[in-house]
Amino acid sequence: ASTGDVSFTGTINTSDVNVAMTSNSNGYNLLGNPYTSFVAGNENADGTNNILTINSASLTENTLWFWNQSTDSYNQINQASAAFQIAPAQGFFVSASGSVTLSITEAMQSHQGTDNFQRTTNRPEMNITMTNGTASRDTDIFYIDGTTTGFDNGYDSSIFGGATNEFAIYTHAVANGSGRNLGIQSLPPNNFENMIVPVGVNAESGTPITIDASTNNFPSGINIYLEDKQENSFTLLDTDANFSTTLENNLSGIGRFYLHTTSGVLSADDFGINNNVSIYTSSNENLRIVGVQNGTASVQLYNILGKEVLKTSFEGNGVNDIKVNDIPIGIYIVKLTTENGTLNRKIIIQ
């Protein structure tokens, strides 16, 4: 209730600690550093002996979630994050893959003067921030060799899902991200022009929002644009400009906003269906089509022998799901036709 010293009494842990976890209702388990020393959270803190590396088989994704009192929300830490040392008694969440054990070992221990520290890095980084005048939320994009445009466990991390996120900003994977709301997304440090990132927003109608972008070590000449499909507009995000609007409807998910990195100058006339529509399977029950904001669209699904196995249509609303749970496992070609053209994509139903 007030500032002051807190005393802990008991036997100091001097051996490895194993904690039983359960997937329970949503998989999130609240744990804490059981030692009187710091422990390494990720590879940048210790290349071998860290919580994420040692326990990867017990986690649904290699992510630690820490409460940030200043933003009243959770921060996600993964293998792409700067070196993170967990302070004595500091709590954090993980997502358990079942009734499994999480190990915190003596080899993870170290002496540190502060809770965490930043290492020098030359990789390109982008931080996208959204404010409503009182609260602020952000999402990170890192560009790292060896990562992909899909979900890279340990280098992509979902926002914390153990609490309601009524005000949030996040991204979805450029390709085949299974619908995860990412607080950290890692992408290859090349082909910037062809990687369009779906941006998700959770906010209530009537909320004024402002979206900014800041970068570190970003390639010279590469501009960042936020596309608003509802307003059919592109906004350059730089030190002198941001995107602002007052929402007319509730937002919860992706489909309205997209992030473009390009050396050119963008306008609404520059992009057709091939540039801003994503198609992927979601939980292997739905075929998710993101980016068809309005109008009637038709979908046809063909197997590798060219046989049509599905034909349907829908009214675009930003994010549309087509049931495919009755379709056999295999590789398929999706043909999407809208008023803006035709798009073909390969998908895998597992």
Side-chain angles (χ1 to χ4, degrees), residues 166-167 201-209 246-251:
E166 296 180 348
F167 184 66
V201 169
N202 294 354
E204 296 181 350
S205 64
T207 301
I209 62 170
T246 298
L247 301 178
E248 297 179 357
N249 303 294
N250 292 340
L251 285 184

Side-chain angles (χ1 to χ4, degrees), residues 132-149:
N132 61 5
T134 56
S136 177
R137 300 289 186 269
D138 71 332
T139 183
D140 290 312
I141 301 175
F142 302 143
Y143 296 85
I144 303 174
D145 283 323
T147 60
T148 70
T149 56

Side-chain angles (χ1 to χ4, degrees), residues 229 258 272-280 287-302 310-316 318 320-322 333-347:
K229 293 186 68 66
Y258 291 84
I273 185 173
N274 287 284
N275 300 89
N276 54 14
V277 172
S278 298
I279 301 175
Y280 55 87
L287 177 68
R288 176 158 289 183
I289 300 172
V290 180
V292 181
Q293 198 69 26
N294 47 53
T296 302
S298 65
V299 176
Q300 295 165 277
L301 194 64
Y302 298 91
L310 175 69
K311 183 177 183 179
T312 187
S313 61
F314 63 89
E315 292 296 320
N320 292 87
D321 288 330
I322 309 296
I333 300 297
V334 180
K335 181 180 180 181
L336 173 68
T337 303
T338 74
E339 59 186 20
N340 294 321
T342 299
L343 175 65
N344 295 306
R345 284 285 187 269
K346 182 178 73 174
I347 64 163

Side-chain angles (χ1 to χ4, degrees), residues 197-219:
V197 181
V199 177
V201 169
N202 294 354
E204 296 181 350
S205 64
T207 301
I209 62 170
T210 298
I211 298 177
D212 291 277
S214 61
T215 61
N216 186 34
N217 299 312
F218 225 65

